[in-house]
């Protein structure tokens, strides 16, 4: 028997070798090349062989890295159609005006970024002239995710195009006067221009992937043909460090989103210094994207390098480029030819010989100026290859110089991200470099002038002709005239008004039941987009699987294990449910794409995203802000809500604060409904406001956040008194009085008002009984469906008062005349109900579940936080004792009686 220790690892193979002799011959050939031509030649042949195998579709592991050279050979580059000279002039004007805008604004101290667009100018200009489809042709056009720090360049192009004027450029980052430009792409601030907010690092790439995926979703469901739409995401190499930037790469490849292109501006710099000082970010990103299944195109070197690569007969140049870390590439950008000869070429004898053939000017041209991302021919070749590639998304890694054309004081300097202006002399040098017809006399009092060749100039005519051919201006946001969606049948909502009788029902289940009815609506049912992050069964949504189907572009290629069950797991190409797996960030990106489809595609969709409330706002609040900025509409549903209703799960699952975070978002309407009929009323009003006939003065560009609970409770009938529906929507109504609850308090009994939200109202109702039966106190119970909407209304009333208008906050109107003090309680920290304290005229106190969550039964958790019915009783007696309406000893007696 062979000794296992004698077997070399390379000889071990799980698979049988049908021809060991042939295998040995191949191995011997490799050994021979290594011995005769050296290891570098052998490695070169192996890489080329693997590339050929990959291109032929052979089932081999992917080659994760290629040489540090352009992916598209010079000989294979297509010519750039159009007038390259005019495009050069247009780009020069844009560079100038972008720098002028930021510099002129610097006197106000508002900041701005110059260097990013300077490095990326050709990446944008090539797209605008030849690729980016506008919204005035058939379809929806392309979706452009512009890198936030490059916004001055986009404004500069809009100025050249006549879409912006000098006054607006001078008001860059000064919006208060009403005629300014926002710092970054902000649809809420400049909704006719910007479509997607992207400056929150990492959210742009994540959103772009899910937008491309949602485009396919619309097409596969037969709602809109989106075949003509391509998603372009412009990103920084430093931005790719954000986890969100790469979180969904596998999804994009798995679903073969060849309608998506990432363009990563690899200027090798982030805010403080090199992105990968001791490494190579391009190689790292290539491996990451190729490993995820993307098509990778590297556009690194300009035409000046072509001669060098032709002279590199030994491969020494390519090897050296692979070795030099990014920080040293930056250093070469700022050093003279002698330094580069010694440090770069002097590292290898073969390179030293090659350098003898190069002039100093040639070396400086290559190392200071010639980058693939700065040449229209190189960029055009990459873009053309990207849009023609089928079966996978594409990433273009374009190498540039940060601060290109801005002068020696900017290019590749570590501090250039924070540099906000150029001097007059630097502008004059830039003018000469760009060959712009701007005279010294145009610099009046040291102020740099804006430049414009004239509305009828060849440059402007060319720019506008190219955009007309591509479908109109870009970027652009269009809200197409869309008729309001018809309201669903009243029956779907009214069915909750009668209550659940003797059956206990959780408000989560009430919401799911409501949605099941709404998706059956003939007019609007198909427009619902249910989104869930792998928790559908937790929320009782599995009944929707067979009827709606789970979206998959490949349909269902297998027989599900539960096919013989009524609620089997059904995937379908036209499936309606987006079940995203364990990714709240991905689910939110889904929601954003669906919630803004009314503008992006002119197709109104009604998304609802249901999630563990603890894992929504806490994890993805930045995306909720992005949603508001992008003017999204829809329903966010925080299920298994509250700090004490989710038994046994403990600290990390116990949500005691999502309404606090939600209250910070101006676009969020946050509700904490207690009963099923409240859920129905809120959804009904949300559909009216966001998708139907909004009332005068109502902002339609809002979204709703509802917290719902997994605790089955009795669902009462809607009180048949006036003002309930208004109170539900505005945030407060009286659910009952002591008398209407069947309690007969003693004559002249002290009275207190109990305000409860969500599941806490059930503790308040129990406390109402205890107060009457055991302490002779009459309590009225109010349902506070939205503390934050009450606060928002009160703030608006305060603002009106400053304008000289008399207006009483709704919370004060509702509680007017209510006897006794007010005690508020919720399943959240006290800060939630305390939002309205200053507008309540009665004496105020509150209870809440402050602190960290814990694992235990609901009853034990509520006792721990002091929010159960007995704790409410003690707190109520304490309030009344302060007023002298009950004996002070009653508080101590109650505490002892209930074991508090």
């Amino acid at each position: 028997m062979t000794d296992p220790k004698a077997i070399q690892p390379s000889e071990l193979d799980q698979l049988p070798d049908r021809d060991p002799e042939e295998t040995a011959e191949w191995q011997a050939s490799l050994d021979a090349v290594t011995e005769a031509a050296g290891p570098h030649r052998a490695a070169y042949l192996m890489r080329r062989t693997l590339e050929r195998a990959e291109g032929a579709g052979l089932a081999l592991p992917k080659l994760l890295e290629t040489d540090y050279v352009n992916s598209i050979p010079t000989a294979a580059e297509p010519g750039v159609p159009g007038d390259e000279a005019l495009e050069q002039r247009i780009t020069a004007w844009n560079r100038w005006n972008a720098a002028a805008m930021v510099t002129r604004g610097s006197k106000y101290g508002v900041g701005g970024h110059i260097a990013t667009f300077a490095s990326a100018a050709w990446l944008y200009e090539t797209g605008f002239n030849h690729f980016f489809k506008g919204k005035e042709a058939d379809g929806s056009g392309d979706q452009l995710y512009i890198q936030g720090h490059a916004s001055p360049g986009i404004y500069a192009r809009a100025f050249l195009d006549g879409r912006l004027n000098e006054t607006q450029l001078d008001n860059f980052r000064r919006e208060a006067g009403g005629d300014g430009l926002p710092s970054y792409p902000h649809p809420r601030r400049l909704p006719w221009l910007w479509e997607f907010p992207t400056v929150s690092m990492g959210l742009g790439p994540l959103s772009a992937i899910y937008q491309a995926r949602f485009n396919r979703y619309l097409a596969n469901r037969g709602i809109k043909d989106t075949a003509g739409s391509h998603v372009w995401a412009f990103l920084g190499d430093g931005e790719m460090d954000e986890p969100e930037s790469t979180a969904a790469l596998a999804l994009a490849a798995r679903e073969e989103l060849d309608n998506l292109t990432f363009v990563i501006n690899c200027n090798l710099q982030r805010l403080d210094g090199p992105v990968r000082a001791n490494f190579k970010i391009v190689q790292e990103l290539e491996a990451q994207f190729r490993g995820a299944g993307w098509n990778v195109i590297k556009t690194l070197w300009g035409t000046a390098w072509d001669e060098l690569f032709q002279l590199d007969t030994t491969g020494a140049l390519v090897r050296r480029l692979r070795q030099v870390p990014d920080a040293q590439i930056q250093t070469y950008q700022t050093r003279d030819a002698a330094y580069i000869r010694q440090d770069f070429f002097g590292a290898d004898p073969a390179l030293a010989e090659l350098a003898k053939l190069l002039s100093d000017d040639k070396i400086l041209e290559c190392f200071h100026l010639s980058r693939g991302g700065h040449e229209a021919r190189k960029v055009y070749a990459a873009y053309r290859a990207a849009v023609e590639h089928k079966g996978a998304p594409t990433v273009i890694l374009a190498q540039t110089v940060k601060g290109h054309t801005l002068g020696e004081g900017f290019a590749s300097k570590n501090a250039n991200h924070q540099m906000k202006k150029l001097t007059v002399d630097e502008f004059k040098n830039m003018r000469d470099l760009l060959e712009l017809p701007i005279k010294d006399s145009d610099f009046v009092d040291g102020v740099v002038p804006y430049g414009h060749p004239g509305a009828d100039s060849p440059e402007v005519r060319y720019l506008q002709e190219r955009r007309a051919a591509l479908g109109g201006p870009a970027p652009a946001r269009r809200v197409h005239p869309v008729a309001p969606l018809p309201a669903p049948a009243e029956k779907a909502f009214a069915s909750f008004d009668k209550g659940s009788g003797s059956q206990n029902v959780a408000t989560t289940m009430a919401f799911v039941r409501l949605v099941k009815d709404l998706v059956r609506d003939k007019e609007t049912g198909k427009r619902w987009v249910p989104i869930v992050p792998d928790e559908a069964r937790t929320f009782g949504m599995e009944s929707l699987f067979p009827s709606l189907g789970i979206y998959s572009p490949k349909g269902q290629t297998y027989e599900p294990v539960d096919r013989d069950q009524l609620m089997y797991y059904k995937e379908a190409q036209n499936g309606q449910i987006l079940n995203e797996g364990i990714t709240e960030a991905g689910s939110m990106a889904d929601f954003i794409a669906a919630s803004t489809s009314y503008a992006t595609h002119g197709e109104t969709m009604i998304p609802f995203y249901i999630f563990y409330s603890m894992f929504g706002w806490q994890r993805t609040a930045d995306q909720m802000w992005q949603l508001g900025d992008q003017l999204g509409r829809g329903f966010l549903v925080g299920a298994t809500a509250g700090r004490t209703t989710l038994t046994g799960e403990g600290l990390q699952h116990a949500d005691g604060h999502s309404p606090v975070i939600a209250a910070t978002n101006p676009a969020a309407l946050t509700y904490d409904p207690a009963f099923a009929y409240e859920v129905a009323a809120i959804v009904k009003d949300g559909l009216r406001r966001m998708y139907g006939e909004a009332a005068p003065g109502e902002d339609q560009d809002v979204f709703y956040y509802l917290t719902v609970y997994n605790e089955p409770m009795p669902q009462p009938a809607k009180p048949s008194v006036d003002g309930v529906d208004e109170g539900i929507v505005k945030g407060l109504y009286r659910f009952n009085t002591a008398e209407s609850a069947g309690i007969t308090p003693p004559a002249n009994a002290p009275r207190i008002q109990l305000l409860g939200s969500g599941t806490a109202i059930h503790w308040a109702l129990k406390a109402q009984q205890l107060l009457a039966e055991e302490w002779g106190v009459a309590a009225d119970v109010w349902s506070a469906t939205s503390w934050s909407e009450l606060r928002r209304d009160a703030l608006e009333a305060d603002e009106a008062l400053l304008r000289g208008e008399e207006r009483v906050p709704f919370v004060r109107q509702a509680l007017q005349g209510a006897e006794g003090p007010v005690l508020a309680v919720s399943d959240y920290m006290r800060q939630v109900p305390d939002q309205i304290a200053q507008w309540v005229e009665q004496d105020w106190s509150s209870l809440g579940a402050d602190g960290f969550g814990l694992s235990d039964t609901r009853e034990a958790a509520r006792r721990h936080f002091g929010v159960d019915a007995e704790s409410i009783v003690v707190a109520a007696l304490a309030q009344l004792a302060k007023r002298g309406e009950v004996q002070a000893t009653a508080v101590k007696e109650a505490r002892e009686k209930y074991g508090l």
Side-chain angles (χ1 to χ4, degrees):
M1 184 174 179
T2 304
D3 182 0
K5 294 180 181 180
I7 301 175
Q8 297 300 314
S10 61
E11 297 172 353
L12 290 171
D13 197 329
Q14 187 71 21
L15 302 176
D17 188 344
R18 70 177 188 180
D19 194 340
E21 185 176 344
E22 182 183 34
T23 303
E25 289 174 358
W26 278 79
Q27 293 171 334
S29 297
L30 179 62
D31 293 341
V33 171
T34 304
E35 184 175 350
H40 298 305
R41 177 62 180 170
Y44 175 87
L45 292 175
M46 286 301 299
R47 284 198 300 275
R48 292 296 175 265
T49 302
L50 286 170
E51 288 170 359
R52 174 61 64 87
E54 188 175 301
L58 300 183
L60 289 174
K62 286 186 177 294
L63 186 65
L64 295 185
E65 285 188 34
T66 59
D67 288 327
Y68 202 67
V69 297
N70 294 349
S71 301
I72 301 173
T74 302
E77 293 171 357
V80 181
D83 191 323
E84 288 190 61
L86 277 178
E87 292 181 20
Q88 184 81 37
R89 300 277 289 174
I90 292 169
T91 307
W93 285 117
N94 291 341
R95 287 181 183 279
W96 177 272
N97 288 322
M101 180 194 326
V102 177
T103 298
R104 287 167 69 122
S106 66
K107 66 181 179 180
Y108 301 105
V110 294
H113 302 282
I114 302 176
T116 294
F117 177 73
S119 68
W122 275 112
L123 302 179
Y124 291 106
E125 195 59 40
T126 303
F128 286 130
N129 286 327
H130 302 287
F131 292 94
F132 303 157
K133 294 185 288 294
K135 296 182 176 296
E136 295 176 2
D138 295 336
S140 306
D142 287 353
Q143 288 82 56
L144 308 180
Y145 288 77
I146 305 294
Q147 190 179 1
H149 293 139
S151 63
I154 309 304
Y155 290 140
R157 196 174 202 276
F159 170 65
L160 206 64
D161 194 12
R163 294 199 289 163
L164 292 175
N165 57 44
E166 285 195 17
T167 300
Q168 289 170 302
L169 296 192
D170 264 349
N171 285 329
F172 173 59
R173 291 195 170 201
R174 294 192 300 135
E175 301 177 76
D179 197 24
L181 301 177
S183 52
Y184 303 123
H186 286 306
R188 188 169 285 275
R189 289 301 186 195
L190 203 61
W192 60 268
L193 179 72
W194 296 121
E195 202 167 14
F196 306 107
T198 53
V199 80
S200 190
M201 298 289 98
L203 299 191
L206 179 67
S207 294
I209 289 173
Y210 280 89
Q211 182 64 58
R213 196 281 196 91
F214 189 73
N215 291 357
R216 292 280 172 85
Y217 171 88
L218 289 177
N220 285 332
R221 288 196 55 213
I223 290 173
K224 183 163 188 175
D225 181 2
T226 58
S229 291
H230 198 90
V231 177
W232 299 82
F234 288 83
L235 318 168
D237 47 0
E239 180 180 5
M240 300 310 294
D241 282 346
E242 288 286 2
E244 293 87 353
S245 294
T246 55
L249 297 186
L251 167 72
R254 185 169 64 245
E255 299 203 0
E256 301 178 354
L257 298 180
D258 50 25
N259 60 339
L260 170 67
T261 298
F262 276 15
V263 181
I264 303 181
N265 179 13
C266 297
N267 57 35
L268 312 185
Q269 286 184 252
R270 55 189 182 199
L271 275 63
D272 289 333
V275 177
R276 292 291 183 272
N278 297 296
F279 306 94
K280 301 190 80 64
I281 186 61
V282 168
Q283 300 299 88
E284 179 182 321
L285 291 174
E286 178 185 28
Q288 194 168 16
F289 278 87
R290 287 175 69 90
W294 285 53
N295 175 44
V296 179
I297 299 173
K298 293 197 289 191
T299 303
L300 308 180
W301 307 111
T303 53
W305 283 83
D306 291 347
E307 179 185 344
L308 272 68
F309 289 126
Q310 289 299 314
L311 295 172
D312 183 29
T313 57
T314 65
L317 177 60
V318 174
R319 289 197 301 274
R320 181 67 176 140
L321 288 173
R322 198 163 58 238
Q323 295 166 356
V324 178
D326 285 352
Q328 191 64 20
I329 293 287
Q330 272 186 271
T331 299
Y332 295 148
Q333 177 70 33
T334 64
R335 299 301 179 89
D336 60 19
Y339 178 89
I340 298 171
R341 283 184 186 276
Q342 178 181 350
D343 190 87
F344 181 82
F345 292 99
D348 186 298
L351 282 181
E353 289 299 313
L354 187 153
K356 293 177 181 178
L357 304 176
L358 306 175
S359 67
D360 284 357
D361 287 345
K362 181 66 175 180
I363 288 175
L364 292 178
E365 180 186 13
C366 289
F367 283 85
H368 285 193
L369 301 174
S370 189
R371 299 292 185 273
H374 295 323
E375 296 188 13
R377 179 185 179 94
K378 303 292 185 184
V379 176
Y380 181 87
Y383 286 10
R384 176 59 59 198
V387 297
E388 291 178 352
H389 186 81
K390 301 302 177 187
T394 293
V395 59
I396 296 170
L397 304 174
Q399 187 161 271
T400 65
V401 175
K402 193 166 186 177
H404 184 59
T405 74
L406 297 179
E408 294 181 1
F410 266 84
S412 284
K413 294 299 176 64
N414 282 338
N416 61 20
H417 195 83
Q418 280 72 35
M419 296 162 72
K420 312 300 182 187
K421 61 183 178 179
L422 278 71
T423 65
V424 169
D425 287 341
E426 286 171 329
F427 266 110
K428 291 179 179 178
N429 290 334
M430 181 182 178
R431 170 201 62 190
D432 296 341
L433 175 65
L434 298 176
E435 299 180 348
L436 291 172
I438 296 173
K439 301 185 295 293
D440 285 357
S441 60
D442 293 334
F443 292 80
V444 179
D445 297 327
V447 177
V448 57
Y450 293 120
H452 200 293
D456 196 39
S457 63
E459 294 96 324
V460 173
R461 288 202 308 270
Y462 180 85
L463 181 156
Q464 292 175 343
E465 288 167 2
R466 291 305 309 143
R467 288 312 316 157
L470 288 165
R477 181 179 181 272
R478 297 285 187 271
V479 179
H480 307 271
V482 178
L485 293 182
E490 180 64 25
K491 180 181 178 182
F493 306 103
S495 63
F496 293 90
D497 291 352
K498 60 186 179 184
S500 63
S502 60
Q503 182 183 9
N504 289 346
V505 177
T507 50
T508 299
M509 292 308 303
F511 177 82
V512 172
R513 179 185 146 191
L514 174 62
V515 169
K516 285 178 66 176
D517 291 340
L518 293 175
V519 296
R520 295 192 186 104
D521 185 85
K522 292 181 180 179
E523 296 288 338
T524 60
K526 69 176 183 179
R527 297 196 174 272
W528 283 87
V529 183
I531 303 167
V532 59
D534 201 39
E535 289 283 4
R537 297 183 192 278
T538 302
F539 308 138
M541 290 175 58
E542 64 269 31
S543 61
L544 299 177
F545 289 170
S547 58
L548 300 184
I550 299 166
Y551 173 72
S552 170
K554 292 187 179 297
Q556 193 155 40
T557 61
Y558 60 93
E559 183 178 355
V561 67
D562 55 358
R563 183 62 182 86
D564 57 342
Q565 297 179 16
L566 181 63
M567 293 182 288
Y568 70 98
Y569 194 82
K570 177 187 175 183
E571 295 189 86
Q573 190 175 34
N574 64 346
Q576 196 163 348
I577 301 170
L578 291 172
N579 191 317
E580 290 305 351
I582 305 175
T583 168
E584 284 80 12
S587 300
M588 265 307 300
D590 260 339
F591 186 87
I592 291 170
S595 71
T596 54
S597 181
Y598 72 92
T600 309
H601 293 293
E603 293 288 347
T604 301
M605 305 301 288
I606 311 171
F608 79 86
Y609 163 35
I610 186 167
F611 50 89
Y612 264 76
S613 66
M614 184 65 164
F615 304 150
W617 287 86
Q618 175 163 298
R619 289 191 179 181
T620 59
D622 198 10
Q623 287 177 285
M624 273 77 164
W625 197 268
Q626 178 191 10
L627 167 65
D629 200 0
Q630 200 167 318
L631 309 174
R633 305 169 184 172
F635 296 95
L636 297 175
V637 183
T640 59
R643 179 144 281 163
T644 69
T645 56
L646 191 58
T647 56
E649 291 285 5
L651 186 154
Q652 292 182 335
H653 289 65
D655 172 26
H657 55 281
S658 70
V660 177
I661 307 175
T664 66
N665 192 308
L669 278 64
T670 303
Y671 287 90
D672 186 25
F675 305 123
Y677 67 80
E678 294 178 352
V679 172
I682 293 164
V683 172
K684 178 183 176 182
D685 187 70
L687 291 172
R688 174 200 62 78
R689 176 169 177 173
M690 294 186 290
Y691 303 104
E693 297 286 355
E698 275 188 323
D699 184 3
Q700 281 192 286
D701 298 321
V702 295
F703 60 93
Y704 283 60
Y705 174 52
L706 283 72
T707 50
V708 292
Y709 299 83
N710 70 325
E711 183 177 11
M713 297 296 288
Q715 296 298 328
K718 182 193 290 188
S720 55
V721 294
D722 292 339
V724 172
D725 286 329
E726 179 189 26
I728 291 172
V729 172
K730 289 192 171 182
L732 183 68
Y733 68 96
R734 182 155 48 195
F735 176 72
N736 69 17
T737 63
E739 291 76 10
S740 66
I743 299 168
T744 305
N748 301 318
R751 187 173 291 267
I752 190 168
Q753 309 298 316
L754 302 180
L755 278 58
S757 69
T759 195
I761 202 167
H762 297 285
W763 323 329
L765 289 169
K766 181 179 178 182
Q768 181 187 47
Q769 294 287 333
L770 293 175
L771 283 166
E773 294 170 2
E774 301 181 6
W775 305 99
V777 172
D780 301 336
V781 175
W782 299 70
S783 179
T785 53
S786 180
W787 307 101
S788 62
E789 284 304 292
L790 292 172
R791 174 180 173 80
R792 182 171 289 160
D793 171 81
L795 289 171
E796 290 172 356
D798 286 353
E799 291 171 5
L801 190 61
L802 291 175
R803 296 192 300 267
E805 303 171 18
E806 288 294 334
R807 181 176 155 193
V808 179
F810 178 78
V811 63
R812 190 169 294 166
Q813 294 178 45
L815 290 171
Q816 187 174 13
E819 296 178 37
V822 168
L823 173 61
V825 62
S826 78
D827 203 15
Y828 298 96
M829 55 196 301
R830 287 178 59 182
Q831 186 176 338
V832 174
D834 283 349
Q835 291 179 83
I836 66 170
Q838 71 185 84
W839 293 281
V840 174
E841 293 182 315
Q842 292 87 345
D843 292 340
W844 172 273
S845 63
S846 63
L847 296 175
D850 286 77
F852 289 109
L854 77 165
S855 299
D856 212 312
T857 64
R858 292 183 178 116
E859 293 75 16
R862 285 162 189 164
R863 176 56 59 90
H864 170 81
F865 286 110
V867 293
D868 59 352
E870 291 78 7
S871 298
I872 294 173
V873 169
V874 173
L877 293 174
Q879 277 288 87
L880 293 168
K882 284 183 184 178
R883 297 161 59 93
E885 297 180 20
V886 300
Q887 295 294 324
T889 55
V891 180
K892 180 180 179 182
E893 290 176 31
R895 190 181 300 118
E896 292 174 351
K897 176 181 179 70
Y898 301 131
L900 297 179

